[in-house]
Every structure is written in C-alpha cells, then in structure tokens.
Amino acid sequence: MMKTQSRNLASWALRITSVLGVLCLGGCSQETYGDLGHVTGTVTLDGKPSPNVQVTFAPQDGRPSMGVTDESGRYELIYIRATKGAVPGEHSVSIASIPPEQDPGAKVPVFKDPIPPRYNLRSELKEVVVKGPNTIDFQLKSK
Amino acid sequence: MRLQSSARAAFTLVELLVVIAIIGVLIALLLPAVQQAREAARRMQCSNNLKQLGLALQNYHDTYGKLPYNAATYPGNNQHGPSWFVRILPFIEQNNAYQQIAATNFAGDWKMQDAACAAAPVLAKLRVEGFWCPSSPLPKVESQSTNANGTIEMQIPSYVGIEGSYYQGGTTSTVAPGPYNDAYGREVYNGMIVPLAGNVSAIGLESATDGTSNTMIISEQSDYFFTSSGSKVAIRSGGHAGKGWSSGYAPGNWEANVTTIRYPIAAYGGSGAVNNYDSNLSLISAHPGGVQIALTDGSVHFLTETVNFAILTGLADRRDGNVLGEY
C-alpha cells in the first residue's frame, strides 16, 4: 500500500515536471515575425546575370527586406537576422550595385553604378509579395 | 505506537527523488524570471545612460548655442579631429579629462593612424562608464597600434550619434535630397549630429523643425550583427581607428561615431553597412526585440525591431515635415 502510494506520487511529480518543462520551453522559444512571404528571383542587366547587387523591398508599413545577388544573379530576401522573407503586400523595390570595398582614408571613392538610377535612386518599381513562396525576377536594361 | 515505528525514521529513495524533482521544477521556473529581471535592470541602466547623454547634449546647447558637431575641417593637414563624445565630456562630469585634453589644444591626428595625437596619453586611460550599455556583449575596449603613440587601449562606446536618414523622413523608398556625401555608403546630413564642412554648418535645436520630441539624436550599436548564414560580426561606428574618441578621417570621407539611417534595426550587409568605417551601419542592441533611442528633447524611448521603417526614417530626419505615426 505504502509503495503504490509513493509510486503514484512519483508519477504525478513526473507528469507535472514534464508539463511545466514544456510550458517553459514554449515561453523561452524564439519569437516569430508573423506570416512572411518567401521571395527569391534573379536580377539580369541587359540579359546578363548581375552579381553583388542589393535588392531592397520596402513596404508601405513595416520593416523592409533586403537581399544580395550571388554570381548567378539570384537573390533571396532576408527579413531580420537569419529569418528570410518579406511582409506581404505592395513593396517599393530598389536595385543597386554594391560598390567595391575601399580602404578607409583613401580618396573618396567615385563609383558609377552600371544599373541606372531609375531602378534605385529614382525607382518606381513596385512588386506585390504574397504569403508563401514568391519568385520575382527583374530584367533590367541599362538604356 | 506510531512514534516508535522505526519504518518512518528515514525517507525512502522515491520520496527523496520527488522532493528533488519539485525543487528542480521550482528552480527551472524561477531562473528565467530572475534572468529577465536582471536584463530589465540592465535595460533601465542603459536607458539612464541615454538620458544622461541626452541631457549632456542639452547642456552643451545651453552653453554654446549649438549642438556638438562631429568631424570638422581644420586648417592644414590636421583635419582628423575629436568625436562628439569628446565634446560633451564636460557635461557628463568628465571635466578633469576634458581639461587635460583641451590643454593639448586638440592637436594631432585623433584616428592615430598617420600622425601623433597629443591627447593620446589621456585617452588611453579615459573610461566613461556611461558610454557603455551594460547588456552589450561586445568588447568594451580595443587596442590599436598607433603611428606615433605606441599600442594603446581605447574605449568603444555602445552609443552612436544620428547623422541623418538616407531616405526622406517618413518614407521608406524616397531618397533624401541631401546635403550628402557618397563615402563608404552615403552620409546624409539631415539629422542632429552633423559634421562641419563646406555644405553643412553647426546646427542648434531650432534646426529640428520636426520638433525636438520627434527627432532622435542618439541610439545604440551594442550587439553583434548576424549575417544571413548566421555568423556573428562585431561592427559599430565607434570601432575603427581612434575608437570612441575620433570623428574619423574628415567630413565627406569616413566618419566615426555617427551613422546615417538607411537600413532597418539589426540589418547587416549591403552598401555602407559592412565595415566599422562605413556610413550606414544599422542600429542594434542586446536588449531583446529592439533598440533604445534618445530623442533631441532628452526623452528615451524603445523602438521595436519590426517598427514601421517610415517611423525610423522620420525620427532620424530632423526636417522632413511628415507626421510620425504611433510607435
């Protein structure tokens, strides 16, 4: 009788511990950023893939997402840290080359972006991001 | 009868285990709460640091009628001057250090890469507790092998001045008209801590036409950035040559201890956001979920990292004329 009682007690303690443990794990877990649309695509300039190009998607409300193209011109938008995606909705898009790195203190670098200003400084590109996967390619023209 | 029973004179193994399990659960519950409380206390201390810096800037303005500027073009080759952190030293009870520095007439190369800095012996010893966020995991000091002052350790602050916003305040994609310089990203001088150069002059509180309570002046860069692949990078505006005490190379070249807002909070990579000497390093802090900012009126607020980007640019741009939303 005594033995079963303490065994019951022990199994209860075990159950409570596991429930609390799960609760604690839930409370300590990383926060999520709502429903994001996952956005990838390629950037080409005059038909050729553009490497090292910065693609910025700025929504009307919320946090902009950014991606940098690889050698094949492919980008993937990053929302924050290692979280990929962009908030759903309409975004203003700007596409600009990243200037080559300069040693500090050198003459102020003058860099002529092969991508014309109508895609970045005076961009009127608009794209819509939806929940789930998105593929948005940009075929830019230098003239 | 029961009292004499020897069967109850000891605990069984199961009973002991149960007690240990209960204690374990209690500790597991309590420990995160205690850690949270410690972080809350550190955040309050950081918020107090920002408050003191905000008040120091107000007192500087009361004394000189202008806000402290950052880089300036000095006559001759001596254009690598002190940062705004040096200029506010007398207003945060570091008058003794400031007097010793002022006695050197601010002479020399404050980034200490090319020539000697007369104030270097003072700077090697100077540590201002209020320039560090207590939550920051970044190194508090770093040594630099200087050109003419040997290898010295200098303080790197957790805070950064707001020089301006790349985008027109209140917008997320309209590029601000300037004045600006395309140096290591883009420096735009529409914020509160600007350099002195041909196209910009020292500004006072009256230049904040959006209102001092709608314009930020200082924020944090006090945590590691993460690359998209998840590796840690320690970069901040005060981390290059001369650390917290240098204003950088010159106005229009690389500048230190100020940043132009171009990316959202805690964003890494892209034009002007990769190296210590870049112009567009993002704000970031070790406090979970966002950064603290000091507005020009001296008040301190918390901005969440998912804040509407238009609000961040609107706070950084002192004269955009747009209405800030709720934040």
Side-chain angles (χ1 to χ4, degrees), chain A residues 2-3 6-7 9-11 13-14 16-18 20-21 23-24 28 31 33 54 56 58-66 68 78-84 92-94 96-99 101-110 120-123 126, chain B residues 8 12 14-15 18 21-22 25 28-29 32 113 166-167 172-175 181-186 223-224 226-230 240 249 252-254 262-272 274-275 277 284-285 288-289 305-310:
Chain A
M2 186 66 213
K3 216 166 186 181
S6 51
R7 191 174 290 163
L9 203 64
S11 77
L14 205 72
I16 291 168
T17 316
S18 52
L20 288 176
L23 280 181
C24 177
C28 304
E31 63 176 308
Y33 297 102
Q54 184 181 328
T56 311
Q60 213 62 48
D61 287 307
R63 181 184 165 97
S65 300
M66 212 171 79
V68 177
I78 293 165
Y79 185 65
I80 185 167
R81 300 195 178 93
T83 306
K84 302 199 163 61
S92 308
V93 180
S94 116
S97 302
I98 296 178
E101 270 184 34
Q102 295 276 331
D103 284 337
K107 276 249 171 177
V108 175
V110 183
N120 37 68
L121 294 175
R122 291 189 294 277
S123 174
K126 298 260 193 256
Chain B
R8 298 299 298 160
T12 66
V14 173
E15 279 170 333
V18 166
I22 290 170
V25 166
L29 279 178
Q113 286 174 310
Y166 178 85
Y167 296 107
T172 56
S173 53
T174 312
V175 177
N181 269 302
D182 277 322
Y184 311 97
R186 177 175 282 194
D223 199 1
Y224 291 98
F226 280 88
T227 65
S228 55
S229 56
H240 198 55
Y249 192 90
N253 203 297
W254 68 274
R262 182 171 180 172
Y263 303 110
I265 293 163
Y268 169 80
S271 183
V274 178
N275 302 299
Y277 48 82
I284 188 166
S285 91
E305 58 194 11
T306 49
V307 71
N308 189 349
F309 189 52

Side-chain angles (χ1 to χ4, degrees), chain A residues 36-123:
Chain A
L36 299 176
H38 185 253
V39 185
T40 59
T42 48
V43 180
T44 54
L45 181 63
D46 299 328
K48 285 196 259 331
S50 293
N52 205 29
V53 163
Q54 184 181 328
V55 182
T56 311
F57 274 56
Q60 213 62 48
D61 287 307
R63 181 184 165 97
S65 300
M66 212 171 79
V68 177
T69 58
D70 59 14
E71 285 307 310
S72 57
R74 188 179 174 281
Y75 72 92
E76 182 173 27
L77 289 188
I78 293 165
Y79 185 65
I80 185 167
R81 300 195 178 93
T83 306
K84 302 199 163 61
V87 290
E90 196 187 45
H91 291 249
S92 308
V93 180
S94 116
I95 303 172
S97 302
I98 296 178
E101 270 184 34
Q102 295 276 331
D103 284 337
K107 276 249 171 177
V108 175
V110 183
F111 174 71
K112 180 83 176 69
D113 194 340
I115 298 176
R118 68 172 179 278
Y119 297 121
N120 37 68
L121 294 175
R122 291 189 294 277
S123 174

